[in-house]
Amino acid sequence: MSEPRIMLTAMAINEALDIAMTIDPKVFLLGEDIAEPSGGVYKVTNGLSTKHGLHRVRKTPISEQAIIGAAIGAAIAGFRPVAEIMIMDFLAVCLDQVTNHAAKIRYMSGGQTTVPMVIRTSAGAGRGFGAQHSELLEAFAVHSPGMKVAVPSTPADAKGLLLTAIFDDDPVLFVEQMMMYWDKTYAGHVPEGDVRVPFGKAATRREGSDVTLISYGRQMYDCLAAADALAVDGVSCEVIDLRTLVPWDEAAVMASVGRTSRAVVVHEAVTRCGFGAELSSRIHEELFGQLSAPVQRVGGANTPVPYASNLEADFLPQVSDILLAVRRTQG
Amino acid sequence: MSEPRIMLTAMAINEALDIAMTIDPKVFLLGEDIAEPSGGVYKVTNGLSTKHGLHRVRKTPISEQAIIGAAIGAAIAGFRPVAEIMIMDFLAVCLDQVTNHAAKIRYMSGGQTTVPMVIRTSAGAGRGFGAQHSELLEAFAVHSPGMKVAVPSTPADAKGLLLTAIFDDDPVLFVEQMMMYWDKTYAGHVPEGDVRVPFGKAATRREGSDVTLISYGRQMYDCLAAADALAVDGVSCEVIDLRTLVPWDEAAVMASVGRTSRAVVVHEAVTRCGFGAELSSRIHEELFGQLSAPVQRVGGANTPVPYASNLEADFLPQVSDILLAVRRTQG
Amino acid sequence: MDDVERPDAPDRDTLLQMFEIQSRIKLCDERFRTMLMSGQIQLIYYSPRGQECISAGWGVHLRQDDYVVTIYRGLHDHLAKGVPLRELWAEFLGRATGTCKGKGGPMHITHPASGLMVTTGIVGAGIPIANGFGLAAQLNGTDQVTVVNFGDGASNIGAFHEGMNLAAVWKLPVVFVCQNNLYGEHTPMSMSTGVDYISERAAAYGMPGVTVDGNDPVATWRVMGDAVARARSGGGPTLVEARTYRFWGHLMGDAMEYMPKDERKAAMAADPVVLYRAWLINNGHATEAQLAEMEEVLTAAIDDAVEFAMNSPQPDASELYTDVFGDNNDAMLQGVSR
Amino acid sequence: MDDVERPDAPDRDTLLQMFEIQSRIKLCDERFRTMLMSGQIQLIYYSPRGQECISAGWGVHLRQDDYVVTIYRGLHDHLAKGVPLRELWAEFLGRATGTCKGKGGPMHITHPASGLMVTTGIVGAGIPIANGFGLAAQLNGTDQVTVVNFGDGASNIGAFHEGMNLAAVWKLPVVFVCQNNLYGEHTPMSMSTGVDYISERAAAYGMPGVTVDGNDPVATWRVMGDAVARARSGGGPTLVEARTYRFWGHLMGDAMEYMPKDERKAAMAADPVVLYRAWLINNGHATEAQLAEMEEVLTAAIDDAVEFAMNSPQPDASELYTDVFGDNNDAMLQGVSR
Ligand SMILES: Cc1ncc(C[n+]2csc(CCOP(=O)(O)OP(=O)(O)O)c2C)c(N)n1
Ligand SMILES: Cc1ncc(C[n+]2csc(CCOP(=O)(O)OP(=O)(O)O)c2C)c(N)n1
Ligand SMILES: [Mg+2]
Ligand SMILES: [Mg+2]
């Protein structure tokens, strides 16, 4: 057995991009500032243009519609573009290309043309960036039939899901929470080589019997922390990490909640009309009568993201919010 | 008592715009093709530029970002602009102005600047317009804190809610289902003058005791039709028309479902991550243990809107879908 | 087109090929309008009548493996790129035998076998996508050209700007064809656009820009040829503004109250297809009989396509749920109570 | 600025007023950077150092009731429009006493009392919004002018195009100030932009466009004056490209590996504020003592603002939920389990 290869999230993503470009000449990257000498504003694409050439790691103007449009056309024509939208809030300046085109083209063409592209985007509050650089907007894509959505929580998943996304024949929105890129807290073992993580398979991060915490991305760690705290009080939490939202692993969720009879869904996005509402609705629809308490939702506050660090921290779902939600399920 | 004034939806909207412009010089309209001689592609703004002048009924280039931006700036500077986005899917080309700016500016400025504007937009399938001209996207706005959202179902509400929206100090997304504009099926009495319908107050369109159908916009009529059909079988449906989604009338919904113990939520938008998920989640959260069946959701298929008329009809939530959903609650 | 011989004209085969494309469009359009007016068919229809020479002008320069992107008003472009009549008609009528199985409709015609890659209903949105096809050709090292069509109104939207700039910076093999019919829906260009000629906007990207009389088939042929040749040889993109007129307003049923009556009358009197036909005959490039026969053949083909489409079934109900994703469709569609 | 007298210079008061604005910016920026480097404060900081003369150039032409819109790199613009130092510092530090109660932060400074209306973090998005202020003035029949600032990179995004065209078509009293510092984040303008001069883009809208050396306060003053006067008198919008340089890269902490060392060294050696100061003295517009005193006063005011901000509390926790809507906040925030 080899030593674990501990990597940071940004490096794992970088490795996935490198592998994809190495094994398939049809993979290329485009986005703002992604090429050398800087290698991206978060250095996630560091070294890739030097290795694979500026024709395959393409710096663009600040033109998000042009970025996504070029990816769409190239994808239809047989490439596998990976477009970077620097920060998720900027999806709003190019949403037409994403939802009206990338997502719908397979359907509108009756299956003749496919759009195998990935939109990588960094997201999330906690950096003091304020209201326009901190949002999680995965619900927009989930509500747009035709888009797949992945939100990894570990470096291994970041790599494995990204490889799957790149070689998937549908457009994928790939959400990277920027707080995780270079923070050692989120480091983890990453298998070498072209190891893919399938879409639609949740990971059970902790087994438990009293309540199921369902989450994805960075908030999975808050769930684990809550589970630790609750274990002290004798409450046993199962923690399910969805990994992908379209498709999402209904079977795993229903099996777990079927056993525990209690569920709390946790995400960073604004709670109202967030993906948690979909999860909660589905669980109630499927497991009505088997639940001991209503499914609880824990998410971002129903407000824009504030700047002041104390407010920003309060905006984010807290471990304490999860504890309270779990308590509500114990009723 | 005066005779009822039966009007079509488009005329009621026109009247609201006329009244608002007449009583407040700060109200103006802007959008594509809204001025005379054509008076709008759906004739909703017919006659208004002739009466109020081209400076107040402003035709614009095909530049949705410029339209919403101009409305935002003028609103901050003291006007009450009513911007038209011709078809709701086009929100995707200007969503940045809507969600990152109109919605957030009050918050980001700490309450110093407000954005009293309305975005009127026509929406909906059923006209053979295909995948890019038929969507209901109200969930995007509901998920964007700072936006209010109204979706009228009757001509009286279309007028009364629009007047409220125009004189509200927050940005409002005002959704008009185009199938209703000129169709006599949807005609109804409209009170004369500046009669406003408050936000956040649902209307009970039919009283009943066995199950609550919760809807808004055109799908309210499908709920009524389903209620009629079910009455024959001895199932008594209460039909609640939300009228506004932000804010929405939790009190009315909880009171009704508290009584009936069964609920079906119905809307035209794609079901997955639609506003129905929010409604369903809230009802379960509040009324757990009092429900006889899980809340059922009936919405658009989780697909783009197809062109062929048979598929388009199937895409839309049908009365038969509501009937099935009600049956599931009777289980 | 004046009735004098043109030294700038292409060879006779090309002249006749252009006429064939124009006539195919004109006859198809006439059939659509007749059938719509008689109530035989019902659909939202954006007539391209009046704009035939533009698509014919680039059509004869393109190979099958070149790419075309167009808009809701796209019938002329679809036909110029060779989308087969039967499947095209069937798609317009929402039939299972259509190019897109009836799921896309007229605003979303796609037929990769002919190189007709994307038809979009969102003004301007095809422009950035066309760059992607250009980029694919550039990366593949082929000499394929992409032609993207859009209206005058589209030149005011953000996607136009972003797309033009990127094409210029990356020197993409794309020809941007602005079919300037002087109106965007009900709004005359002068009320919406800061310049008199859309081609002036090319300079903002360091791109060559040229305006041509889109009703003059010969002039249009030449300008399109230059632009296509530039793209094909690695010389980068061109913006071609071809000026023309919409005979039938924005869409069928348009009251056209915003179009000066005289203006429209004059435009229709100078019907470019009719004038071109006369010019071909009067200058000895074809005989009346020859062209009439061509038209007959086309009419027969349209008859056949109409019959094919009318006799085709609507898509099966199950098609609502297919083609949303490439794999595992059921799982992706999960989360529906209905 | 060369060290010779300038016949095109404004009066002495204006010259000194410009210097006062420039110095306020420069000293503020220096304080921010010192405090950031020493770890006294922590925030994402976009230094405007090097771009002072541009804001000063329009600053002296504007009245309090004129409107300004700017971007994340906006400190210089905020100060040129008169946003008070205390509230500005407090907002940058996220304090309850800030312009926006600490809820907006540096990227969203708003201070209507000074006419600083919107600061946006979305590239290009301020441009369409500025038109709204211009439209308000036009509809109100006032002669208020709106100045909107943005970078060279912003000229490639859709919102720029749509906003410029609408301003031209509606003849709005807006001055579009492109602060061209040659880079958008890590990308040199030449790699992203189809033209050499952003001002060339004005012609695409039929708008006057002019490029000026943004490091030359006198030339900038004159060009801004013409544009402001045109707007104020109903002559419509102007695009002013003021060329300059970012001394400290995109944001604090930027490794600047993508900026040629010599280029940056030369720009900093030609520090426009330093050169202007020398020019004022050498040409007798001010004495060293006078300017030193001005700087001392400014330094004291900055000391005071820093102290005020550092001693101010963070916003109360309840502020998370206020200002989302104007009324009935609780009901609007409904639907949360947490
Ligand atoms: C983004 C967007 N805004 C508005 C519309 C509605 N619309 C459809 S066609 C059209 C006019 C377009 O005019 P032009 O580009 O000149 O093309 P033409 O129809 O004249 O061929 C408009 C405004 C749309 N489809 N997309
Ligand atoms: C729509 C959008 N895309 C990308 C970004 C990320 N971003 C922030 S600043 C910037 C560079 C802008 O360059 P420029 O307009 O020249 O202004 P400068 O920073 O040089 O003052 C970019 C790409 C953004 N904020 N908004
Ligand atoms: Mg047109
Ligand atoms: Mg710059």
Side-chain angles (χ1 to χ4, degrees):
Chain A
M1 278 300 296
S2 60
E3 286 284 283
R5 261 191 356 138
I6 303 301
M7 290 178 85
L8 297 171
T9 308
M11 292 162 59
I13 294 168
N14 184 286
E15 187 167 277
L17 296 171
D18 185 23
I19 290 172
M21 288 205 285
T22 304
I23 64 177
D24 188 345
K26 292 297 184 190
V27 176
F28 71 92
L29 319 184
L30 74 172
E32 294 156 16
D33 307 309
I34 63 170
E36 309 285 277
S38 92
V41 294
Y42 300 114
K43 301 268 177 212
V44 174
T45 48
N46 209 22
L48 297 177
S49 73
T50 302
K51 179 163 174 191
H52 298 283
L54 286 167
H55 63 298
R56 293 185 69 197
V57 179
R58 306 181 69 91
K59 244 170 143 104
T60 65
I62 307 172
S63 310
E64 280 81 1
Q65 297 188 68
I67 293 169
I68 304 297
I72 291 171
I76 296 173
F79 283 83
R80 296 191 172 276
V82 182
E84 179 177 304
I85 297 298
M86 195 184 288
I87 298 188
M88 195 166 200
D89 312 59
F90 312 159
L91 275 181
V93 301
C94 59
L95 200 74
D96 170 61
Q97 290 290 336
V98 180
T99 58
N100 283 329
H101 294 90
K104 293 176 183 168
I105 275 174
R106 177 191 285 270
Y107 194 83
M108 297 192 302
S109 74
Q112 293 176 98
T113 46
T114 61
V115 190
M117 64 183 275
V118 178
I119 303 172
R120 288 183 45 245
T121 190
S122 78
R127 299 271 312 256
F129 269 126
Q132 293 178 335
H133 286 61
S134 305
E135 283 183 316
L136 267 292
L137 298 174
E138 66 278 10
F140 288 4
V142 175
H143 193 50
S144 301
M147 286 302 297
K148 291 178 179 171
V149 180
V151 192
S153 69
T154 67
D157 277 3
K159 176 178 167 183
L161 291 169
L162 182 51
L163 279 163
T164 301
I166 293 171
F167 294 104
D168 192 285
D169 282 341
D170 289 312
V172 178
L173 179 67
F174 193 86
V175 184
E176 305 166 4
Q177 278 156 295
M178 63 182 101
M179 294 284 285
M180 294 183 4
Y181 277 144
W182 296 104
D183 184 336
K184 291 205 183 87
T185 322
Y186 304 101
H189 169 69
V190 175
E192 246 164 308
D194 179 11
V195 177
R196 303 189 191 178
V197 174
F199 275 31
K201 291 274 162 253
T204 302
R205 299 297 182 189
R206 179 186 179 121
E207 298 195 345
S209 53
D210 295 330
V211 56
T212 306
L213 310 183
I214 305 154
S215 185
Y216 49 90
R218 191 165 79 92
Q219 278 59 45
M220 194 274 291
Y221 298 94
D222 294 337
C223 291
L224 288 178
D228 281 344
L230 287 157
V232 176
D233 297 353
V235 179
S236 162
C237 299
E238 182 139 308
V239 176
I240 293 192
D241 180 354
L242 289 179
R243 307 207 274 199
T244 60
L245 312 190
V246 180
W248 65 278
D249 194 344
E250 279 210 23
V253 168
M254 299 309 168
S256 172
V257 182
R259 265 188 290 105
T260 63
S261 82
R262 296 179 173 85
V264 176
V265 301
V266 184
H267 58 54
E268 179 170 339
V270 158
T271 307
R272 193 170 49 207
C273 254
F275 186 64
E278 180 65 28
L279 286 171
S280 168
S281 303
R282 285 298 297 143
I283 295 169
H284 285 290
E285 284 160 17
E286 290 296 313
L287 298 177
F288 187 82
Q290 302 173 52
L291 296 176
S292 304
V295 178
Q296 300 295 313
R297 291 182 288 158
V298 176
N302 287 334
T303 70
V305 180
Y307 173 68
S309 59
N310 62 325
L311 298 183
E312 187 185 25
D314 279 0
F315 167 87
L316 284 167
Q318 310 284 318
V319 173
S320 59
D321 296 319
I322 302 174
L323 296 178
L324 276 173
V326 170
R327 299 250 181 267
R328 283 196 299 270
T329 67
Q330 310 290 303
Chain B
M1 278 300 299
S2 60
E3 287 284 284
R5 260 189 357 134
I6 303 300
M7 292 178 83
L8 298 171
T9 309
M11 293 163 60
I13 294 168
N14 184 287
E15 187 167 277
L17 296 171
D18 185 23
I19 290 172
M21 287 205 285
T22 303
I23 64 178
D24 188 343
K26 293 296 185 190
V27 176
F28 72 91
L29 320 184
L30 71 173
E32 292 155 17
D33 307 307
I34 64 171
E36 308 286 275
S38 92
V41 293
Y42 301 113
K43 301 269 177 210
V44 174
T45 49
N46 209 22
L48 296 177
S49 73
T50 303
K51 178 162 175 192
H52 298 283
L54 286 167
H55 61 298
R56 293 184 70 197
V57 179
R58 307 180 69 92
K59 246 170 140 103
T60 65
I62 307 172
S63 309
E64 281 79 4
Q65 296 189 67
I67 293 170
I68 303 296
I72 292 171
I76 296 173
F79 283 83
R80 294 191 172 279
V82 182
E84 179 176 306
I85 297 298
M86 193 182 291
I87 298 188
M88 195 165 200
D89 313 58
F90 311 161
L91 275 181
V93 301
C94 58
L95 199 75
D96 170 60
Q97 291 290 335
V98 179
T99 57
N100 283 328
H101 293 90
K104 293 176 183 170
I105 275 174
R106 178 192 283 271
Y107 195 84
M108 296 193 301
S109 74
Q112 293 176 97
T113 47
T114 61
V115 189
M117 64 182 274
V118 177
I119 302 171
R120 287 183 47 243
T121 191
S122 78
R127 299 269 314 253
F129 270 127
Q132 293 179 335
H133 286 60
S134 305
E135 284 184 315
L136 268 293
L137 299 174
E138 66 277 10
F140 288 4
V142 175
H143 193 50
S144 301
M147 286 303 296
K148 290 178 179 169
V149 180
V151 192
S153 70
T154 69
D157 276 4
K159 176 179 168 183
L161 291 170
L162 183 50
L163 280 163
T164 302
I166 293 172
F167 294 104
D168 192 285
D169 283 342
D170 289 311
V172 177
L173 180 68
F174 193 85
V175 184
E176 304 165 3
Q177 276 154 296
M178 64 182 100
M179 293 285 285
M180 294 184 5
Y181 278 144
W182 298 103
D183 184 335
K184 291 206 183 87
T185 322
Y186 304 101
H189 168 69
V190 176
E192 248 165 307
D194 179 12
V195 177
R196 304 190 190 178
V197 174
F199 275 31
K201 291 274 162 252
T204 303
R205 299 294 181 192
R206 177 184 180 121
E207 298 195 346
S209 52
D210 294 331
V211 56
T212 305
L213 310 183
I214 305 155
S215 185
Y216 49 90
R218 190 165 80 90
Q219 279 57 45
M220 194 275 289
Y221 298 94
D222 294 337
C223 290
L224 288 178
D228 281 345
L230 287 158
V232 176
D233 297 353
V235 180
S236 162
C237 299
E238 182 141 308
V239 176
I240 293 192
D241 179 355
L242 288 180
R243 307 207 274 197
T244 59
L245 311 190
V246 181
W248 65 279
D249 194 345
E250 279 210 23
V253 169
M254 299 308 168
S256 172
V257 182
R259 264 188 293 105
T260 62
S261 82
R262 296 177 175 86
V264 176
V265 302
V266 184
H267 58 54
E268 179 169 341
V270 158
T271 306
R272 193 170 51 206
C273 252
F275 187 63
E278 179 65 29
L279 286 170
S280 168
S281 303
R282 286 296 298 144
I283 295 169
H284 285 289
E285 284 160 18
E286 291 296 312
L287 299 178
F288 188 81
Q290 301 172 53
L291 296 175
S292 304
V295 179
Q296 299 295 314
R297 291 182 288 159
V298 176
N302 288 335
T303 70
V305 180
Y307 172 68
S309 58
N310 63 325
L311 299 184
E312 187 184 25
D314 279 359
F315 167 87
L316 283 167
Q318 311 283 320
V319 173
S320 59
D321 296 318
I322 303 174
L323 296 178
L324 276 175
V326 170
R327 299 248 181 268
R328 282 196 298 268
T329 69
Q330 310 289 304
Chain C
M1 196 162 184
D2 286 339
D3 216 3
V4 293
E5 185 51 305
R6 294 278 293 262
D8 54 342
D11 62 41
R12 184 197 176 122
D13 272 4
T14 306
L15 288 173
L16 293 186
Q17 210 187 326
M18 287 204 290
F19 180 74
E20 203 273 350
I21 295 174
Q22 294 171 16
S23 300
R24 183 187 298 253
I25 299 165
K26 176 171 176 290
L27 293 168
C28 248
D29 174 85
E30 282 164 357
R31 186 68 60 92
F32 269 114
R33 284 187 293 104
T34 314
M35 291 180 71
L36 281 162
M37 307 242 284
S38 70
Q40 287 171 274
I41 57 174
Q42 270 194 322
L43 60 117
I44 311 283
Y45 182 70
Y46 304 86
S47 170
R49 194 67 188 82
Q51 306 184 193
E52 293 89 342
C53 300
I54 301 170
S55 330
W58 54 248
V60 296
H61 291 293
L62 296 191
R63 303 192 308 240
Q64 192 173 356
D65 69 341
D66 289 327
Y67 298 118
V68 166
V69 174
T70 187
I71 60 172
Y72 50 91
R73 189 185 316 285
L75 178 64
H76 52 327
D77 299 331
H78 305 141
L79 291 171
K81 192 63 177 61
V83 178
L85 280 168
R86 284 181 157 205
E87 289 86 335
L88 191 64
W89 270 86
E91 190 61 30
F92 269 64
L93 303 194
R95 305 305 165 106
T97 53
T99 50
C100 312
K101 304 194 225 165
K103 296 167 78 165
M107 286 214 242
H108 306 302
I109 300 295
T110 303
H111 197 254
S114 319
L116 198 299
M117 303 309 291
V118 174
T119 302
T120 179
I122 305 293
V123 167
I127 297 172
I129 296 174
N131 283 341
F133 292 107
L135 179 58
Q138 193 182 65
L139 287 171
N140 282 332
T142 69
D143 65 352
Q144 288 160 286
V145 169
T146 300
V147 170
V148 52
N149 300 274
F150 51 92
D152 44 295
S155 81
N156 293 320
I157 203 160
F160 165 87
H161 180 69
E162 296 191 11
M164 293 283 289
N165 183 60
L166 191 74
V169 171
W170 287 359
K171 270 198 158 226
L172 298 176
V174 180
V175 180
F176 296 91
V177 177
C178 179
Q179 302 193 9
N180 182 353
N181 55 21
L182 310 183
Y183 291 87
E185 293 212 342
H186 305 171
T187 302
M189 180 190 154
S190 59
M191 285 188 64
S192 65
T193 312
V195 283
D196 294 329
Y197 293 91
I198 306 295
S199 63
E200 297 177 62
R201 294 193 157 163
Y205 315 101
M207 190 191 290
V210 53
T211 296
V212 67
D213 176 358
N215 296 336
D216 179 335
V218 170
T220 302
W221 169 83
R222 192 159 286 283
V223 163
M224 296 294 182
D226 291 347
V228 169
R230 179 177 300 120
R232 212 179 287 292
S233 64
T238 307
L239 171 60
V240 176
E241 175 193 18
R243 290 176 89 99
T244 181
Y245 201 79
R246 297 173 323 191
F247 285 5
W248 296 101
H250 181 58
L251 47 68
M252 281 304 287
D254 189 336
M256 300 189 274
E257 60 297 52
Y258 58 89
M259 284 159 79
K261 284 217 170 57
D262 288 353
E263 178 187 277
R264 178 158 171 264
K265 221 165 129 183
M268 290 177 79
D271 186 329
V273 182
V274 172
L275 291 188
Y276 183 51
R277 190 182 193 283
W279 179 84
L280 285 174
I281 296 169
N282 295 344
N283 290 283
H285 298 296
T287 64
E288 164 64 38
Q290 222 180 336
L291 299 187
E293 199 203 310
M294 201 187 261
E295 287 155 346
E296 241 167 72
V297 171
L298 286 169
T299 301
I302 292 168
D303 291 342
D304 167 74
V306 171
E307 201 189 317
F308 173 82
M310 296 291 277
N311 290 330
S312 292
Q314 287 198 311
D316 187 80
S318 65
E319 284 290 342
L320 173 59
Y321 296 103
T322 63
D323 302 318
V324 181
F325 295 100
D327 52 2
N328 195 10
N329 246 330
D330 287 352
M332 310 288 163
L333 295 165
Q334 70 197 359
V336 216
S337 300
R338 61 181 295 214
Chain D
M1 195 162 186
D2 285 340
D3 217 359
V4 293
E5 186 49 305
R6 293 280 291 261
D8 55 342
D11 62 40
R12 183 195 177 124
D13 272 4
T14 305
L15 288 172
L16 293 187
Q17 210 188 326
M18 288 206 290
F19 181 72
E20 202 273 351
I21 295 173
Q22 293 170 16
S23 299
R24 184 187 297 254
I25 298 164
K26 175 171 178 287
L27 292 168
C28 248
D29 174 84
E30 282 164 356
R31 187 67 61 89
F32 269 113
R33 286 186 292 105
T34 313
M35 291 179 70
L36 281 162
M37 306 243 283
S38 69
Q40 286 171 276
I41 58 175
Q42 271 195 322
L43 61 115
I44 312 284
Y45 182 70
Y46 304 87
S47 170
R49 193 69 188 78
Q51 304 184 195
E52 293 89 343
C53 300
I54 301 170
S55 331
W58 53 250
V60 295
H61 291 292
L62 296 192
R63 303 192 308 239
Q64 193 172 356
D65 69 341
D66 289 328
Y67 297 119
V68 165
V69 174
T70 186
I71 60 171
Y72 51 91
R73 189 186 314 285
L75 179 64
H76 52 325
D77 298 331
H78 305 141
L79 291 170
K81 193 63 176 64
V83 177
L85 281 169
R86 281 181 159 203
E87 288 86 336
L88 191 65
W89 270 86
E91 190 62 30
F92 269 65
L93 303 194
R95 306 305 164 105
T97 53
T99 50
C100 311
K101 304 195 227 161
K103 295 166 78 164
M107 284 213 243
H108 306 302
I109 299 296
T110 303
H111 197 254
S114 319
L116 198 300
M117 303 309 290
V118 173
T119 302
T120 179
I122 305 293
V123 167
I127 295 171
I129 297 175
N131 283 340
F133 292 106
L135 179 59
Q138 193 182 65
L139 288 171
N140 282 331
T142 69
D143 66 350
Q144 290 160 285
V145 168
T146 299
V147 170
V148 52
N149 300 276
F150 50 92
D152 44 294
S155 80
N156 293 323
I157 202 159
F160 165 87
H161 180 68
E162 296 191 12
M164 293 285 289
N165 183 59
L166 191 75
V169 171
W170 286 359
K171 267 197 160 229
L172 297 176
V174 180
V175 180
F176 296 89
V177 177
C178 179
Q179 302 193 10
N180 182 352
N181 56 22
L182 311 184
Y183 290 86
E185 293 213 341
H186 305 170
T187 302
M189 180 190 153
S190 58
M191 283 187 67
S192 64
T193 313
V195 283
D196 294 330
Y197 293 91
I198 307 294
S199 63
E200 296 177 62
R201 295 191 158 165
Y205 315 102
M207 191 190 291
V210 51
T211 295
V212 65
D213 176 358
N215 296 337
D216 178 335
V218 168
T220 302
W221 169 82
R222 190 158 288 281
V223 163
M224 295 293 182
D226 291 348
V228 169
R230 179 177 301 122
R232 212 181 284 298
S233 63
T238 307
L239 172 60
V240 177
E241 174 192 17
R243 289 176 89 96
T244 180
Y245 201 80
R246 297 173 324 191
F247 285 6
W248 296 100
H250 181 58
L251 47 66
M252 282 301 290
D254 189 337
M256 299 189 273
E257 55 305 47
Y258 58 89
M259 288 159 77
K261 281 219 172 58
D262 287 351
E263 178 188 276
R264 178 158 171 263
K265 220 164 132 186
M268 291 179 79
D271 186 329
V273 182
V274 172
L275 291 187
Y276 183 52
R277 190 182 193 283
W279 178 84
L280 285 173
I281 296 169
N282 294 345
N283 289 282
H285 299 295
T287 64
E288 163 66 36
Q290 226 180 333
L291 300 187
E293 199 203 309
M294 201 186 260
E295 287 155 346
E296 242 168 69
V297 171
L298 286 168
T299 301
I302 293 168
D303 290 343
D304 167 74
V306 171
E307 203 189 315
F308 172 82
M310 295 291 277
N311 291 329
S312 293
Q314 287 198 311
D316 187 80
S318 65
E319 284 291 343
L320 173 60
Y321 295 102
T322 65
D323 303 317
V324 181
F325 295 100
D327 53 0
N328 196 10
N329 245 331
D330 287 354
M332 311 287 163
L333 296 166
Q334 72 199 356
V336 217
S337 301
R338 58 181 297 213

